[in-house]
Amino acid sequence: MREFINANETIRESDSKTIQAAIQAACEDGCRTAVVPRYNKRTGGTKWMIFESIKLPHDFTLILDNCWLEQDKGAYDNMFTNEFADCGDYLQDASH
């Protein structure tokens, strides 16, 4: 198990999806920690544009390491959301 997953290791077609992929990789690895660094390897800059909500699982650490996150123009969503925010029956389901 690694200490953390760096978002620059999970590059996707958007910054939101890149960060989400790092979160998923950290859950699969078992470290349950992801880091969003200052430098964005996907764009070659220091800004991370967020167009869709990044879903955070329970018992997870997301480290924002001196990075600049900005909501993309036209984005009408929260930057971060609990992964079960739109699952109203989650707390009532004893199987979780």
Side-chain angles (χ1 to χ4, degrees), residues 64-80:
L64 305 175
D65 187 12
N66 196 27
C67 61
W68 175 5
L69 302 179
E70 184 176 314
Q71 257 186 314
D72 207 351
K73 291 180 176 123
Y76 298 100
D77 206 348
N78 293 323
M79 196 170 284
F80 298 101

Side-chain angles (χ1 to χ4, degrees), residues 23-52:
I23 291 167
Q24 180 66 34
C27 288
E28 290 170 3
D29 174 78
C31 66
R32 301 192 68 78
T33 301
V35 175
V36 181
R38 179 172 175 78
Y39 178 71
N40 182 338
K41 189 174 179 182
R42 190 184 78 78
T43 64
T46 58
K47 190 185 303 184
W48 294 79
M49 297 301 293
I50 309 302
F51 186 73
E52 58 190 324

Side-chain angles (χ1 to χ4, degrees), residues 84-96:
F84 298 113
D86 48 350
C87 299
D89 295 328
Y90 174 75
L91 294 176
Q92 297 171 6
D93 183 358
S95 67
H96 292 282

Side-chain angles (χ1 to χ4, degrees), residues 48-61:
W48 294 79
M49 297 301 293
I50 309 302
F51 186 73
E52 58 190 324
S53 186
I54 297 164
K55 297 192 182 331
L56 295 172
H58 71 283
D59 192 29
F60 191 88
T61 302

